[in-house]
Amino acid sequence: MTADLLAPLDLAFWNLESADHPMHLGALGIFTAHSPTAGAHGADLLAARAAGVPGLRMRIRDVWQPLPAALRSPFAFGGAAREPDPDFDPLHHVRLHAPAADFHAVAGRLMGRPLERGRPPWEAHVLPGADGDRFAVLFKFHHALADGLRALTLAAGVMDPMDMPAPRPRPAEPPRPLLPDVRDLPGMVRGALSDVGRALDIGSAVARSSLDVRSAPALSCEPSGTRRTAGVVLDLDDVHRIRKTVGGTVNDVLIAVVAGALRRWLDERGDGSEGVAPRALIPVSRRRPRTAHPQGNRLSGYLMRLPVDDPDPLARLASVREAMDRNKDAGPHRGAGAVALLADHVPALVHRLGGPVVGQAARLWFDLLVTSVPLPSLGLKLGGHPLTAVFPMAPLAPGHSLAVAVSTYRGSVHYGLVADGEAVPDLDVFAAAVSREVAELIEVCRP
């Protein structure tokens, strides 16, 4: 394996990180245990199999290339690259913990700890259940190593083998010349001008998005460096029943549920929901299956106002549906939510120097992350023990107190909630509000 440069957005995630705001994503998987030693056996399997997954051996190192190489690519000078770790020790990354009665309580503490930047930036924490009939595995992957889809692939690589079709070989990347062909210069100029126009369009949309509507103070905070996590499981059939009654997509319903849960949570804690319409960032993957290049995170996003101040659950759902339709009509390359695309047009050295500043500006751009993480429909196992639930966990942006990730797995919807531990001591109240919002939507949708 050879080193490869981080894609611009990966580099941005690498440089955004701070001690109080680690930029790793996570997933908490719950397994049925057939014996009290199932968790320990699972930890042994994870360590043994990790050595055979090439992506798990990759560390990230800084790159300071000589001038000729920097002329070829300004994204290289001052950048970073993935390369195999010659001292890779899977036992350092897979850790077996003491039995736990509350998996989320332990996961919250572990999610607050940054990954070691000198080693491959991932960890797997195995948590035996205190009752002996379950165990959990918390996977942590730095966002610069893997986005949600790539993290899923890496985690699946250490699960029990499944009968899957062999992947198609990826075409080799053609060698890049040291300097561009002069015949390509007119097209490059036109492309650069187009990029500038797009950047200005996105920048103005970001500025407009911060005007006029009150956000919720509960969604912003000074960082404490602590984390809490919680999970909610819904019946996917209930979500489909709501969708079929009112129209739209499953994703529309899941986003509207977040809006309704926020309303309940803010009112219950005394903050009030009147006039509140926080800006939710909805990431959109631009990764194309089986595409070899470019590698790394390929994200855009939609930005929308969550109708938290609307007391009618069906009206909230209609507002979300209309906003998502407008976003889809405009496409993921335009509007304030596409600000991640700007990373592609910023030299690596600027990412390195400006990362902390950009991170602190996140609260000016959006108030809440609501992301969907795809999961396979096939049942996963570890040591023969079936995975029964999986809660995705998104990184918490600087200045934010709450992030929401959603996955569907084996007929259920799993909400994974990550919050600043001091700013949101009542995360369980928000989790309960998610369940109550779905129950109300089902009730109002009855014929």
Side-chain angles (χ1 to χ4, degrees), residues 212-445:
D212 299 334
V213 182
R214 184 171 78 91
S215 182
L219 295 178
S220 64
C221 67
E222 293 303 318
S224 69
T226 62
R227 295 290 182 271
R228 294 179 187 272
T229 73
V232 183
V233 181
L234 307 176
D235 190 328
L236 183 57
D237 287 341
D238 288 341
V239 177
H240 278 299
R241 190 175 300 116
I242 297 168
R243 178 192 62 81
K244 290 177 181 178
T245 301
V246 301
T249 68
V250 166
N251 201 40
D252 294 342
V253 176
L254 298 179
I255 295 171
V257 166
V258 173
L262 282 172
R263 177 181 176 83
R264 295 171 183 272
W265 178 60
L266 292 173
D267 286 344
E268 286 188 27
R269 65 178 2 221
D271 291 344
S273 59
E274 184 177 355
V276 173
R279 299 155 298 178
L281 177 64
I282 317 293
V284 177
S285 175
R286 298 189 299 133
R287 184 192 295 276
R288 296 182 180 180
R290 303 189 185 277
T291 297
H293 302 286
Q295 295 298 308
N297 282 285
R298 304 293 297 167
L299 291 174
S300 180
Y302 300 142
L303 197 69
M304 62 177 295
R305 295 281 184 178
L306 294 181
V308 172
D309 55 346
D310 195 322
D312 184 344
L314 292 181
R316 288 196 295 269
L317 180 50
S319 295
V320 167
R321 180 182 175 186
E322 291 170 3
M324 288 299 290
D325 286 345
R326 287 194 300 270
N327 277 316
K328 292 172 186 175
D329 288 342
H333 295 82
R334 298 181 63 85
V339 73
L341 300 180
L342 299 182
D344 292 341
H345 311 296
V346 177
L349 187 59
V350 176
H351 279 299
R352 180 182 294 273
L353 298 177
V357 176
V358 173
Q360 293 304 316
R363 72 176 76 187
L364 302 177
W365 168 32
F366 66 101
D367 304 297
L368 176 72
L369 178 72
V370 182
T371 184
S372 177
V373 181
L375 291 177
S377 58
L378 299 174
L380 298 174
K381 295 182 179 181
L382 179 60
H385 302 93
L387 176 67
T388 59
V390 57
F391 300 96
M393 297 180 182
L396 201 60
H400 289 184
S401 64
L402 178 67
V404 179
V406 192
S407 286
T408 58
Y409 177 72
R410 309 283 289 177
S412 296
V413 176
H414 296 83
Y415 280 85
L417 312 176
V418 177
D420 183 281
E422 292 187 9
V424 188
D426 56 344
L427 186 60
D428 58 331
V429 176
F430 179 78
V434 171
S435 298
R436 294 205 307 275
E437 180 66 14
V438 173
E440 181 174 2
L441 280 168
I442 292 172
E443 184 62 29
V444 298
C445 288

